[in-house]
Amino acid sequence: MFRSEKQQCEAIQLLLKSLHMERFWTDKGPTKQACKYLEGSPLSSGEQIFLRCAFDLWNGDGKVLLWQDLLGSLDTPRTELLFTLVIAVNRGGDAVQKWIDTRKAALVCAA
């Protein structure tokens, strides 16, 4: 699992950043707008799925269904990003930190 709530929020922000949605998550958790958009929103289907995944990683309330929501809905880079974070969470806080550091380094290189 995550080392701390801070690490959890940082990982979720990086996940959402891949779709320019980092505005929906703060260092303390979801924004009011994110909570409002959880059940329905003007977001695209991929954006909605990622927001729901963020809530699943946060507190389990995203209700993402693997087959119906992810497979065939997200593009390959977003699917890989999500699954590598899930694998890191399963391995523990050190693995999550490595995932965060790797994502940040990739963003710096892309800039």
Side-chain angles (χ1 to χ4, degrees):
M1 297 311 276
F2 297 99
R3 284 186 196 161
S4 64
E5 184 177 284
K6 180 182 184 300
Q7 185 187 57
Q8 185 179 23
C9 288
E10 186 175 12
I12 292 169
Q13 286 170 324
L14 285 167
L15 182 73
L16 293 175
K17 187 177 184 88
S18 75
L19 287 173
H20 308 288
M21 295 173 53
E22 62 273 18
R23 69 187 180 281
F24 291 117
W25 220 266
T26 72
D27 293 338
K28 301 284 185 192
T31 64
K32 288 181 183 181
Q33 187 176 26
C35 294
K36 179 181 171 186
Y37 282 2
L38 182 58
E39 294 302 323
S41 70
L43 299 173
S44 71
S45 61
E47 291 169 333
Q48 184 67 32
I49 288 167
F50 249 43
L51 183 62
R52 289 174 45 218
C53 287
F55 273 93
D56 272 352
L57 289 164
W58 177 249
N59 63 7
D61 284 347
K63 300 177 184 110
V64 175
L65 302 173
L66 182 64
W67 182 259
Q68 179 181 343
D69 291 333
L70 300 179
L71 302 177
S73 296
L74 295 177
D75 63 11
T76 300
R78 297 315 179 283
T79 302
E80 183 176 332
L81 183 67
L82 175 62
F83 286 165
T84 57
L85 175 56
V86 170
I87 290 166
V89 169
N90 195 46
R91 290 181 176 160
D94 290 342
V96 172
Q97 193 59 51
K98 183 177 180 181
W99 184 92
I100 289 169
D101 295 342
T102 300
R103 300 293 341 135
K104 283 184 172 179
L107 290 172
V108 169
C109 290

